[in-house]
Amino acid sequence: MDARGRLVEAMLDGLAVLLPVECAGCGTADRGICADCRSALVAPDRVGRHLLVAPGAPASGSGDLPLWFAVGYEGVPKEILHALKESARLDGARPLGRLLGVAVADALEAIEPHLPAGARLETLVVPSSRSAFRLRGYNPVESLLRWAGPQPHRATGLRYRRTPRDQASLGADERWANLSGSIEAVSTRLEGRHLLLIDDVVTTGATLLECRRAAECGGASVWGAAALAHTAKVKRTNSELHGDLVSQRVYGGGKGAESNRPRLGRRVLD
């Protein structure tokens, strides 16, 4: 460790006496995010890509939504993201946002050459429900995107028209039905725009697919989506207890209701 690193460590040690903290990734005392967990948040050499498709969509693939994601939803990224969303640990936004930025950059590189002449790609963040925003006071995806590096102009124009019911006990098909029609475009704000949707973690893809439906109803063209993390194991129905679907085509079904039920704790900064 160089002189600057030793100075930073000494300052953090002193700050930990005044404001006791524990690592958002592993619980180690005296660091908002410890050195081991920071080392686990390195940018991947190559981002992952999946195709999201709604249940019942034709097998031709014409309705698929390409998704670029930086990491799997597991280990340190999962723990830190959970702390950010459920305990207001915004100290995790910077390292996670940098990972999200890798997925955004890869998506831009793949999409922009195919845009119509003169068109520009804009990012559109998946909205928070009104109840989640009231409880948190922030949109977690917006918090990540602030640290995602250079990116296109950011569009706005989606909102929840109703809050979906709790999805914890629902399979993928039931979640898709639960989310269907829950999001709408705001007037004509998105008309004629070319969009890349942005989310934090994608479970079954139903939220992104519902956002695409709403944006396209508002006159936009949706070219794909980028996310920090993705988990590919999804039960298609409640009764499907075995044989999780792990496929390049991930069936849409919903992110679940945890974002509508945040458990907020003390906000701690590194």
Side-chain angles (χ1 to χ4, degrees):
M1 184 182 298
D2 59 16
R4 182 177 181 276
R6 289 193 294 271
L7 177 60
V8 170
E9 286 296 308
M11 292 174 65
L12 290 174
D13 287 339
L15 185 60
V17 174
L18 300 174
L19 299 172
V21 297
E22 63 178 29
C23 176
C26 66
T28 296
D30 297 338
R31 292 292 182 272
I33 300 177
C34 71
D36 287 343
C37 287
R38 285 189 182 277
S39 66
L41 298 175
V42 296
D45 294 331
R46 187 180 67 176
V47 304
R49 183 176 175 182
H50 277 285
L51 294 176
L52 304 176
V53 59
S60 64
S62 59
D64 291 353
L65 179 68
L67 167 71
W68 288 263
F69 63 96
V71 295
Y73 188 52
E74 59 189 5
V76 172
K78 177 180 179 179
E79 294 302 321
I80 295 178
L81 181 58
H82 185 269
L84 184 150
K85 296 178 71 172
E86 307 301 332
S87 301
R89 289 294 301 270
L90 292 173
D91 44 342
R94 183 172 184 173
L96 293 182
R98 288 172 173 171
L99 290 178
L100 172 60
V102 176
V104 171
D106 270 39
L108 294 176
E109 183 179 356
I111 293 171
E112 287 184 328
H114 302 285
L115 293 174
R120 67 172 183 175
L121 191 66
E122 301 176 86
T123 57
L124 179 64
V125 170
V126 169
S128 286
S129 68
R130 293 184 182 92
S131 58
F133 191 85
R134 281 196 302 268
L135 287 169
R136 287 195 181 104
Y138 61 94
N139 181 331
V141 186
E142 293 276 5
S143 298
L144 297 179
L145 201 56
R146 291 190 187 99
W147 297 101
Q151 56 195 267
H153 180 270
R154 197 178 306 178
T156 60
L158 291 182
R159 66 186 175 194
Y160 276 92
R161 58 188 297 268
R162 63 174 177 83
T163 301
R165 65 189 179 95
D166 192 314
Q167 302 193 115
S169 62
L170 302 180
D173 288 348
E174 294 90 347
R175 292 181 181 185
W176 173 256
N178 183 39
L179 281 169
S180 181
S182 63
I183 296 174
E184 64 181 0
V186 180
S187 63
T188 59
R189 194 178 297 176
L190 296 177
E191 187 172 354
R193 295 190 170 189
H194 298 266
L195 302 175
L196 173 69
L197 301 176
I198 307 293
D199 206 353
D200 50 9
V201 57
V202 178
T203 304
T204 59
T207 302
L208 287 170
L209 291 165
E210 172 63 11
C211 285
R212 180 181 68 174
R213 181 203 62 78
E216 290 179 346
C217 286
S221 298
V222 178
W223 290 77
L228 164 67
H230 170 60
T231 175
K233 292 187 177 181
V234 180
K235 285 186 175 59
R236 187 169 172 82
T237 65
N238 243 357
S239 60
E240 186 178 27
L241 301 179
H242 304 286
D244 285 352
L245 297 173
V246 184
S247 169
Q248 287 296 310
R249 305 186 78 204
V250 182
Y251 288 86
K255 291 175 63 179
E258 67 173 3
S259 61
N260 294 332
R261 303 184 275 105
R263 300 180 293 278
L264 298 184
R266 180 163 57 98
R267 184 171 297 183
V268 182
L269 299 179
D270 194 350

